[in-house]
Amino acid sequence: MSHSFRRREFLATLGKSGAALAAGSWLGSVGYAQTSRAAARTVINQRLSRADLDRRLLGAVLEHLGRAIYTGVYEPESPLADRNGFRTDVIEQVKGMAVPIMRYPGGNFVSGYNWLDGVGPKNQRPTVLERAWNSLETNQFGTNDFMDWCKLVNTEPLLGFNLGTGTPEQAVAYVEYCNVDKGTKWSELRRSHGYEQPHNVRYWCMGNEMDGPWQMGHMPAREYGRIARDCAQQIRVIDEKLQLIACGSSNTNMPTYLVWDREVLEECYDQVDGISLHNYYGNTPPLSGNSTARYLAMNLDMERQILEIGAVCDYVQGLQKSPKRLWLSFDEWNVWYRARSGPHVDGKRAFAPRLLEEVYNLEDALLVGGFLNTLLRQSERVRVGCLAQIINVIAPLVTNETSVLRQSIYYPYAWALKYARGRVLDLQVQAETYPIVAGDLQPDFARNDQVPFVDVVATLDPQNGQVCLLMLNRDLEGERELVLEWRNPTPTRVLACETLTGADVKAFNTFEQPQVVAPRALAPPAAGPSMTFKLPPRSYSVAHIATS
Ligand code: AHR
């Protein structure tokens, strides 16, 4: 389907509905103070789809960091623990979310990790000084424990190996330990540890953030690329079909951003399947000028990063005349800016210290919703995505001794997990915009742009015809209408419709008041060929719709 056809079709539909949009022509002067608001509009047509959704796009991270593993996932002394020492309340929450893939064991942690310390009899596992976060690591939870936990929460493992302080030989041995059936040194070691069946881990991260000077074993791009290629080539002997992810740039502010990715791929393109992207965002003076309006546009910065890294991949593909097109693994993303320095990142040689315990408010949740929209929109290119992280550390879930708290960001993530299925539709959304200005923001966030007030994505599950709509209203002052013109299929019933909103974008949940930022019902329009959603100001909403 050509773009011009889609546009003609779209305009025809708008014509039928009598819409007269002048978005962009007058908004610059009206900006945020406007009082009359034109509805955003889009057409739903199942013949126009962007990609089949690989649900691995909606994964998360579990790192040996702070209280993520110890007192998060694993706490044998707790009355809430099962016989393996796993917190049953956490299992229930994570399983209930249906997280499709979990990246483990790090993060920065992996670059100093000796995987052998974490396998075998627990009483023989060493306590070591963990150097990424200056913490004590008892190794009472390791790879096999993680695999057991993955089964309990019904998620797929995404394992990383150490290319920081570790050697290719140790990395390949780890793959052999996990995946070879039997009859070799490392597979027999696994079997001697009580795991007769191989774990069959399909997706592997080859190190973590190796472009970062903070990373143990940090090295120049070409050196990393050559090592990654060597590892990959050896791993292909074990199983040529494994999905191998090279380390891309750690964020868009790195001095080597894009150059790192190009040089790494020039060394290892033929041996890898994907490249990683990471980024963390915040409502800070350098990133947003402390402006919530600018902050809520940051998923468009994520979108630009995806397009830029994708372009580097395509450039190297062209250079190498390779038939293979790489996919992207956005395997660390989140809001993270308050608990990011000083005592928040220094474990002071303690066991399970409180690190990176970011408290998330409403505006963070709205932006996380925006990130999910961006990932879904770009799911043709981004196959794997991981919210960093899942529990206690920059996380939607937080434990205390007796319970689990859902932070504000839990809700948009849980909605996407629950409802986004099937195909991501190609929506052409017409919406009024507001301006953002570069000013003196950090260069990678300094952009003059027009940002749509309404950001919406839709999926359609061909199995059952159900449609999921995820709708962000960035308008801080007023309700926004979203008009959906249904071409095909026809909506028959609204199965669910909820919104996350509130008067105070800085509001957050606590164990004492866990429902301050929580979904409430949103009155849905009647199902029909034209449906108008009324999106509250400062909101992220979901609708789940049956169709015929
Ligand atoms: O997720 C927290 C940390 O952020 C990870 O360990 C690291 O990869 C990134 O810098």
Side-chain angles (χ1 to χ4, degrees):
M1 185 82 37
S2 77
H3 178 74
S4 59
F5 176 83
R6 285 191 311 234
R7 185 161 173 77
R8 272 204 309 278
E9 186 177 45
F10 175 76
L11 292 173
T13 310
L14 289 185
K16 273 186 213 144
S17 68
L21 289 182
S25 57
W26 49 276
L27 286 163
S29 55
V30 177
Y32 239 134
Q34 66 189 91
T35 48
S36 76
R37 296 174 162 86
R41 294 175 176 274
T42 192
V43 172
I44 303 278
N45 185 341
Q46 68 175 339
R47 285 183 296 128
L48 306 179
S49 67
R50 294 181 79 94
D52 285 333
L53 174 59
D54 185 334
R55 284 183 50 80
R56 294 182 182 93
L57 186 68
L58 301 173
V61 175
L62 178 67
E63 177 168 359
H64 283 253
L65 198 184
R67 298 193 306 122
I69 301 287
Y70 305 110
T71 75
V73 161
Y74 182 78
E75 192 175 16
E77 312 77 28
S78 167
L80 292 162
D82 68 8
R83 62 190 168 83
N84 293 314
F86 302 146
R87 284 272 300 245
T88 50
D89 53 345
V90 174
I91 289 172
E92 197 183 316
Q93 289 293 326
V94 180
K95 186 176 180 188
M97 294 165 82
V99 180
I101 194 164
M102 195 70 70
R103 184 169 181 255
Y104 172 89
N108 294 342
F109 170 84
V110 78
S111 294
Y113 185 47
N114 182 347
W115 63 268
L116 276 167
D117 288 346
V119 293
K122 290 202 175 187
N123 60 7
Q124 290 171 28
R125 298 186 195 173
T127 292
V128 300
L129 175 61
E130 195 290 298
R131 286 99 66 211
W133 307 103
N134 190 20
S135 310
L136 275 195
E137 171 56 59
T138 62
N139 284 302
Q140 292 304 291
F141 186 97
T143 302
N144 296 317
D145 311 292
F146 175 65
M147 297 298 166
D148 291 341
W149 186 79
C150 283
K151 287 200 182 80
L152 292 170
V153 300
N154 198 19
T155 196
E156 175 182 357
L158 164 59
L159 283 193
F161 50 68
N162 177 352
L163 286 187
T165 64
T167 63
E169 187 168 12
Q170 289 164 332
V172 179
Y174 191 33
V175 179
E176 183 185 319
Y177 179 91
C178 288
N179 282 11
V180 170
D181 188 12
K182 58 183 174 183
T184 66
K185 173 176 168 180
W186 298 110
S187 61
E188 288 301 325
L189 182 66
R190 184 198 69 242
R191 285 160 62 89
S192 76
H193 292 157
Y195 293 82
E196 285 208 2
Q197 297 306 316
H199 297 311
N200 260 321
V201 179
R202 310 314 302 162
Y203 284 74
W204 291 85
C205 293
M206 298 193 289
N208 179 70
E209 296 188 349
M210 295 304 299
D211 61 327
W214 60 86
Q215 198 71 207
M216 286 177 269
H218 161 61
M219 61 185 87
R222 292 205 181 273
E223 190 179 335
Y224 167 73
R226 280 192 283 269
I227 291 173
R229 184 176 191 287
D230 178 34
C231 276
Q233 198 168 320
Q234 294 183 51
I235 288 168
R236 301 267 176 227
V237 175
I238 296 172
D239 183 343
E240 66 181 36
K241 292 218 163 54
L242 295 184
Q243 299 294 299
L244 302 178
I245 304 165
C247 280
S249 289
S250 299
N251 60 66
T252 43
N253 198 35
M254 298 299 292
T256 53
Y257 178 58
L258 301 179
V259 176
W260 166 275
D261 306 83
R262 173 176 61 77
E263 292 186 351
V264 165
L265 291 180
E266 282 174 0
E267 298 297 330
C268 67
Y269 192 94
D270 63 325
Q271 285 292 339
V272 304
D273 303 283
I275 187 162
S276 69
L277 294 78
H278 289 183
N279 220 338
Y280 293 97
Y281 306 82
N283 197 352
T284 65
L287 301 188
S288 64
N290 281 345
S291 150
T292 297
R294 174 65 187 87
Y295 182 54
L296 293 184
M298 281 188 184
N299 64 302
L300 304 183
D301 300 283
M302 175 196 248
E303 207 138 341
R304 183 164 69 175
Q305 181 181 355
I306 291 168
L307 298 177
E308 287 169 347
I309 298 291
V312 172
C313 293
D314 294 345
Y315 167 79
V316 179
Q317 180 186 6
L319 273 187
Q320 302 199 351
K321 308 202 181 342
S322 168
K324 179 171 66 179
R325 184 166 182 260
L326 292 200
W327 45 264
L328 308 184
S329 176
F330 214 125
D331 48 41
E332 283 190 34
W333 64 268
N334 203 346
V335 169
W336 176 26
Y337 67 103
R338 287 153 292 223
R340 203 168 174 168
S341 58
H344 298 293
V345 295
D346 180 358
K348 298 203 170 70
R349 217 174 277 187
F351 171 70
R354 286 183 178 271
L355 298 179
L356 284 66
E357 301 217 1
E358 190 91 3
V359 175
Y360 289 110
N361 61 28
L362 173 61
E363 67 180 11
D364 302 329
L366 302 185
L367 179 57
V368 162
F371 291 140
L372 291 161
N373 283 16
T374 282
L375 288 170
L376 288 163
R377 217 169 10 245
Q378 296 301 329
S379 57
E380 195 272 326
R381 193 77 207 234
V382 189
R383 188 187 295 180
V384 175
C386 299
L387 172 68
Q389 301 194 2
I390 189 70
I391 182 91
N392 285 341
V393 168
I394 43 174
L397 299 172
V398 175
T399 59
N400 65 10
E401 282 175 7
T402 54
S403 57
V404 185
L405 173 70
R406 291 174 172 178
Q407 296 221 68
S408 62
I409 63 168
Y410 169 92
Y411 295 104
Y413 182 45
W415 283 340
L417 285 167
K418 185 168 178 188
Y419 296 117
R421 280 169 199 279
R423 282 202 294 268
V424 181
L425 299 183
D426 188 6
L427 300 186
Q428 308 289 321
V429 182
Q430 295 279 304
E432 289 184 347
T433 61
Y434 64 93
I436 56 171
V437 288
D440 55 2
L441 298 183
Q442 186 175 293
D444 52 334
F445 286 89
R447 58 194 287 195
N448 296 313
D449 214 340
Q450 290 291 326
V451 176
F453 282 104
V454 174
D455 185 317
V456 52
V457 291
T459 61
L460 186 144
D461 187 346
Q463 307 277 349
N464 54 21
Q466 292 173 353
V467 168
C468 162
L469 290 164
L470 294 163
M471 303 166 280
L472 171 64
N473 178 8
R474 298 189 179 99
D475 191 331
L476 300 176
E477 306 300 330
E479 176 184 280
R480 288 270 159 183
E481 289 186 346
L482 171 65
V483 180
L484 301 181
E485 304 289 354
W486 293 77
R487 276 309 189 77
N488 169 23
T490 306
T492 52
R493 197 153 66 92
V494 178
L495 303 168
C497 192
E498 288 184 282
T499 191
L500 196 64
T501 186
D504 178 8
V505 291
K506 305 294 182 186
F508 56 90
N509 296 337
T510 61
F511 281 98
E512 294 70 39
Q513 289 191 291
Q515 294 289 316
V516 175
V517 186
R520 62 174 166 77
L522 179 66
S530 176
M531 296 173 71
T532 301
F533 285 89
K534 292 179 183 301
L535 307 175
R538 325 165 275 289
S539 67
Y540 189 70
S541 308
V542 65
H544 190 213
I545 299 170
T547 67
S548 64

